[in-house]
Amino acid sequence: MSTRAEQRERTRTTLLRESRRLFAGQGYAAVGLAEIVAAAGVTKGALYHHFAGKAELFRAVLDQVQQEVAERVVAAADAEKEPWDQLVAGCQAFLTASTDPLLQRIMLVDGPAVLGWTQWRQLDTDNSARHLREALTGLVELGVITRQPVEPLTHLLSGAMNEAALWLAAAGGPRDLADTQAALARLLDSLRA
């Protein structure tokens, strides 16, 4: 990589890091471009070289956050040996990750508001739903889950978990995560053949 390309990548990485910190701490609406470029130590021109504006920068931050949540889900699932346990661990890891205050504001509060529901859901599908679909497909093929179309089941479970995560972000108290995880475990158990 050339020195110029390395510098561009460092600038982009710094913009993402500082924007993420500011968005998580203050929320999208409260953060201005001047604050972002000051925190990153770059000019507005450098920001506009990488992103068309604040909304595009936020979308890149949200995509990064959703990828990290997906990685946590996959890591939790991969730690289990049995396919059923992998599904349960991955789903529980999603709920746990979604209660992280540094992720909540970006992923669950500002994400749908800034990007709109359709774009927010597409990012979620790109980063998480495909893992859920793969797990469910494998469990149906193994006969662990009753044979059924996987696509609607994926959307139903993804929707239920996203709604639970949104609820936890808005009103979650100290017991709410444990209660939500217990309810999710019962819901998943009902799918077993």
Side-chain angles (χ1 to χ4, degrees):
M1 200 183 298
S2 71
T3 305
R4 184 169 280 224
E6 290 170 349
Q7 179 59 39
R8 279 194 302 270
E9 187 55 34
R10 274 194 304 273
T11 299
R12 186 176 194 287
T13 299
T14 301
L15 283 165
L16 286 170
R17 182 186 66 240
E18 293 305 317
S19 297
R20 180 175 174 165
R21 181 181 61 78
L22 292 167
F23 292 148
Q26 300 173 39
Y28 177 83
V31 177
L33 287 180
E35 189 174 2
I36 292 169
V37 296
V42 300
T43 65
K44 278 190 181 178
L47 183 142
Y48 285 121
H49 176 76
H50 294 279
F51 304 98
K54 184 174 149 183
E56 186 178 308
L57 177 58
F58 179 81
R59 187 184 192 290
V61 168
L62 175 60
D63 187 48
Q64 185 182 66
V65 166
Q66 286 185 326
Q67 285 177 25
E68 288 172 16
V69 170
E71 289 167 7
R72 289 184 194 185
V73 167
V74 169
D78 287 348
E80 299 296 330
K81 291 182 179 153
E82 296 299 319
W84 177 258
D85 295 333
Q86 291 174 338
L87 172 70
V88 173
C91 290
Q92 298 291 7
F94 171 77
L95 286 181
T96 300
S98 70
T99 62
D100 180 338
L102 297 177
L103 302 180
Q104 272 184 339
R105 175 170 253 153
I106 293 169
M107 189 171 79
L108 301 170
V109 176
D110 287 342
V114 173
L115 298 181
W117 185 254
T118 302
Q119 207 175 85
W120 180 79
R121 279 292 297 137
Q122 187 59 52
L123 282 175
D124 177 63
T125 298
D126 293 346
N127 289 309
S128 297
R130 66 185 171 86
H131 299 295
L132 180 58
R133 184 181 308 103
E134 291 167 5
L136 292 170
T137 299
L139 289 167
V140 167
E141 289 171 358
L142 291 170
V144 175
I145 293 177
T146 305
R147 184 157 297 283
Q148 60 188 290
V150 172
E151 196 64 26
L153 181 60
T154 301
H155 284 280
L156 286 167
L157 284 177
S158 178
M161 288 187 291
N162 280 333
E163 184 60 32
L166 289 165
W167 176 72
L168 287 167
R175 284 273 329 138
D176 290 333
L177 175 60
D179 290 345
T180 304
Q181 288 180 318
L184 177 62
R186 288 188 297 274
L187 177 66
L188 292 173
D189 279 339
S190 72
L191 298 174
R192 293 187 84 154

